[in-house]
Amino acid sequence: MSDHNEIVYSTADGMDYPAHEGTYKAFIKFGTIGTVAVITVVSLMAIFLT
């Protein structure tokens, strides 16, 4: 059997770090926009439905 004790990420082939970073930035941006949208909706509901 092959030995799989050590994982070396820095030398792994096929790692596209710019794509990973771009995806992470897009995820953070989407999360921020979504959070602001939910806060806005809840605030408007509190104002107009009470």
Side-chain angles (χ1 to χ4, degrees), residues 17-49:
Y17 289 108
H20 288 280
E21 291 176 359
T23 302
Y24 176 73
K25 288 179 183 180
F27 175 76
I28 295 297
K29 185 176 182 178
F30 176 75
T32 303
I33 292 171
T35 302
V36 169
V38 169
I39 290 172
T40 301
V41 168
V42 170
S43 298
L44 290 172
M45 287 173 64
I47 292 169
F48 292 110
L49 296 178

Side-chain angles (χ1 to χ4, degrees), residues 1-5 7 13-14 16 21-22 24 30 36 38 41 46:
M1 295 267 172
S2 59
D3 188 17
H4 295 290
N5 291 337
I7 299 173
D13 292 333
D16 189 5
E21 291 176 359
Y24 176 73
F30 176 75
V36 169
V38 169
V41 168

